Amino acid sequence: MQLYNTLSAEERAQLIEEAGQNRITLSFYQYANIEDPQQFRDDLFLAWSKLDALGRTYVAKEGINAQMSVPAENFEAFRETLEAYDFMKGIRLNVAVEQDDLSFLKLTVKVRKKIVADGLDDATFDVTNKGIHLGAQEFNDLLEDPDTIIVDFRNHYESEIGRFEGAITPDVDTFRESLPIINEQLQPFKENKKLLMYCTGGIRCEKASAYFKHQGFKNVYQLEGGIIEYTRQIKEQGLKSKFIGKNFVFDHRLGERITDDIIAHCHQCGKPCDTHVNCANEACHLLFIQCDECAETMHGCCSNECLDIIQLPLDEQKRLRKGQQKGNLIFKKGKSEALKFKKERNVFEEVVPVKVATVTEIRKKKHERKILVGKGEHYFTKASVAQFSIQNQSVKVGDEILIVGPSTGEERLTLTQFKVNGQDAFEANVNDKITFEIPFRIRLSDKLYVIQK
């Protein structure tokens, strides 16, 4: 019985690209009383492995919290694995605003003490005694009420790139830090103000709503399904988005754009930017905001020190980071002293209007998807001709293609003309052999991809 991953992330990514499947990125959570989290974990891992489901899931006695990537064709079968449990009947699956087939590259299901670390040790706290859930329209309406206090229960690196205007945004690294801070500051308003809270998918503010009811707050509300569900509803109902900027997500994308507003700044040069990256130095890996120009100048590094390190031989880099614990630095998200334009703010001072730029004013990185369409068919000793057999979908004149192989590396070009089965043609279909000129030599192990943007 296999209860662990056997493929590396690189191997998994290659299999996904070769399969040519569309995948759905989604998240869900449910607070419940789970008597045997370890057995629950093992059962889920086995069921999901059969469906090629990937992602990161935490289970505990208090429930389940998951972010997943599932083949579109297995979506309903995946839902059935959840609804086999009574406490997940009819569970809401938050589908990502932007899809990426490579959002997760392995399946991880871990047993933890809690699905959301809260730092609380109070046996009388009932996490299921939650606040009132609001849909997008109700949430927008309550935002207009002068007696409403809105609180963002995400971390500072999340709210820095996107938030509801007027929200209190705690300058914290973890959820557990925000609870006592907000509780202390809002004590004078617990009787007469409406406490309105939100987070990414609902799991943190659901626990927070129960916590503040436990603390004696009378009017506690939360955004149902978080920012992800809010975005779906405003699009479906044609509502104005009161959330501006990007929604931070915890997979390799690090963000989904909700509106064109850019409310953050590059941590190195200070110009408008909301692109999160991890420092290219593996011994650092700090998460920070970096614009395209600084990424090019700094080679993806957060500091000159890290830039010097990545230019060393790999063996020397491994020697320098051996035994170092980088976790503490990674989770000081954007607070490194190396970052000149890091942002600190006192969230309880009077809220001032947010200065914004838009993506139309700032160059965006291209979002693209590569689809495997063929493999090398013939080995030519001279660098001038490539021949591929088409296996998955058609290729047309004008398509941008990528040729990838262990010796070839990655070569990108646009098809201006080619032959199909020896004849000039404008389109090659499945089972055709396509031949075209190239300025290099392909190998039999090379693969042909079409780039979609």
Side-chain angles (χ1 to χ4, degrees), residues 90-339:
I91 192 169
R92 181 186 58 250
L93 302 181
N94 286 328
V95 176
V97 177
E98 299 174 353
Q99 291 300 325
D100 187 325
D101 293 342
L102 302 180
S103 56
F104 291 100
L105 296 176
K106 63 180 179 178
L107 176 60
T108 302
V109 186
K110 293 184 177 181
V111 176
R112 285 190 163 181
K113 185 177 180 181
K114 296 184 179 183
I115 56 174
V116 177
D118 53 30
L120 303 176
D121 186 15
D122 183 350
T124 67
F125 172 47
D126 180 7
V127 71
T128 65
N129 183 24
K130 55 198 176 188
I132 298 171
H133 284 213
L134 299 178
Q137 181 65 70
E138 298 169 304
F139 192 85
N140 280 358
D141 292 344
L142 203 55
L143 284 175
E144 302 299 324
D145 189 332
D147 287 329
T148 294
I149 297 175
I150 180 171
V151 183
D152 188 328
F153 275 96
R154 301 173 303 154
N155 305 325
H156 76 86
Y157 53 91
E158 299 173 80
S159 60
E160 185 173 0
I161 62 171
R163 55 189 180 271
F164 285 95
E165 289 193 85
I168 293 172
T169 53
D171 192 16
V172 296
D173 294 326
T174 62
F175 172 71
R176 72 175 69 188
E177 295 175 59
S178 62
L179 293 178
I181 293 174
I182 299 298
N183 185 36
E184 179 183 355
Q185 295 291 334
L186 298 186
Q187 279 296 316
F189 310 110
K190 65 193 305 180
E191 296 286 342
N192 58 351
K193 293 289 186 180
K194 299 180 179 70
L195 182 55
L196 182 58
M197 53 189 69
Y198 69 92
C199 59
T200 304
I203 187 170
R204 286 177 282 184
C205 55
E206 182 148 321
K207 177 172 277 192
S209 74
Y211 171 79
F212 282 98
K213 288 186 68 177
H214 184 65
Q215 292 297 317
F217 284 76
K218 302 300 183 186
N219 305 294
V220 181
Y221 303 84
Q222 69 179 90
L223 179 58
E224 183 177 11
I227 300 162
I228 297 173
E229 176 64 12
Y230 175 86
T231 303
R232 188 192 69 78
Q233 289 186 21
I234 61 171
K235 289 181 178 179
E236 185 179 83
Q237 300 172 28
L239 305 176
K240 179 181 179 182
S241 177
K242 303 275 187 172
F243 182 95
I244 58 173
K246 288 173 75 173
N247 180 30
F248 186 95
V249 293
F250 291 87
D251 56 56
H252 81 93
R253 298 171 298 156
L254 299 178
E256 297 178 323
R257 181 154 301 287
I258 309 301
T259 71
D260 285 344
D261 305 292
I262 307 283
I263 66 172
H265 297 82
C266 175
H267 286 164
Q268 291 177 315
C269 72
K271 85 172 192 179
C273 176
D274 58 9
T275 302
H276 271 109
V277 298
N278 288 105
C279 179
N281 175 17
E282 288 294 325
C284 172
H285 211 58
L286 175 77
L287 180 71
F288 67 107
I289 296 174
Q290 187 179 55
C291 69
D292 290 355
E293 288 75 11
C294 287
E296 184 175 349
T297 301
M298 298 295 294
H299 296 276
C301 291
C302 71
S303 64
N304 288 327
E305 179 182 5
C306 287
L307 181 58
D308 290 340
I309 290 175
I310 69 165
Q311 296 180 70
L312 297 172
L314 286 178
D315 288 345
E316 179 66 10
Q317 292 184 48
K318 291 180 181 178
R319 187 190 67 78
L320 289 174
R321 67 175 181 260
K322 186 176 181 180
Q324 289 191 19
Q325 294 297 320
K326 61 184 180 181
N328 289 338
L329 181 56
I330 292 172
F331 291 105
K332 290 300 179 186
K333 312 283 188 177
K335 291 187 176 181
S336 168
E337 293 298 327
L339 301 173

Side-chain angles (χ1 to χ4, degrees), residues 26 37 70 90 223 247 344 347 352 424:
L26 57 92
V70 181
L223 179 58
N247 180 30
E344 302 282 354
V347 297
V352 296
D424 290 335

